[in-house]
């Protein structure tokens, strides 16, 4: 799983590209990326981590 900072960095780059690669707005893009990542919440982080192995797997008696 990527670190939070890596996710923000990638998102800021995507925003920069989407806006036509303007110069001198790196902080603005970083701040917007932080807001977007935080708005996604921890649910996205859990989903990216993948499934929990062993929970509900076949072969268990019950």
């Amino acid at each position: 799983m990527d670190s939070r900072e890596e996710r923000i960095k990638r998102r800021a780059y995507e925003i920069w590209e989407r806006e036509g690669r303007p110069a001198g707005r790196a902080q603005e893009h970083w701040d917007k990326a932080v807001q977007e990542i935080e708005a996604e919440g921890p649910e996205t982080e859990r989903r990216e981590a993948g499934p929990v192995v062993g929970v509900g797997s076949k072969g268990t008696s019950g």
Side-chain angles (χ1 to χ4, degrees), residues 23-45:
R25 294 178 52 200
Q27 187 63 51
E28 179 183 334
H29 294 145
W30 184 270
D31 293 342
K32 183 171 178 118
V34 168
Q35 290 174 347
E36 289 182 11
I37 296 296
E38 288 178 349
E40 290 173 1
E43 177 67 26
T44 301
E45 291 177 19

Side-chain angles (χ1 to χ4, degrees), residues 39-62:
E40 290 173 1
E43 177 67 26
T44 301
E45 291 177 19
R46 282 196 300 270
R47 200 170 342 120
E48 290 177 358
V52 176
V53 178
V55 175
S57 60
K58 293 181 181 179
T60 58
S61 60

Side-chain angles (χ1 to χ4, degrees), residues 11-34:
R11 182 69 57 92
Y13 184 82
E14 291 168 3
I15 294 167
W16 173 71
E17 283 192 318
R18 186 171 61 224
E19 292 185 0
R21 300 180 177 184
R25 294 178 52 200
Q27 187 63 51
E28 179 183 334
H29 294 145
W30 184 270
D31 293 342
K32 183 171 178 118
V34 168

Side-chain angles (χ1 to χ4, degrees), residues 2-9 30 34 37-38 45:
D2 293 328
S3 71
R4 180 176 182 272
E5 185 172 342
E6 284 299 317
R7 290 177 61 218
I8 293 168
K9 193 181 299 185
W30 184 270
V34 168
I37 296 296
E38 288 178 349
E45 291 177 19

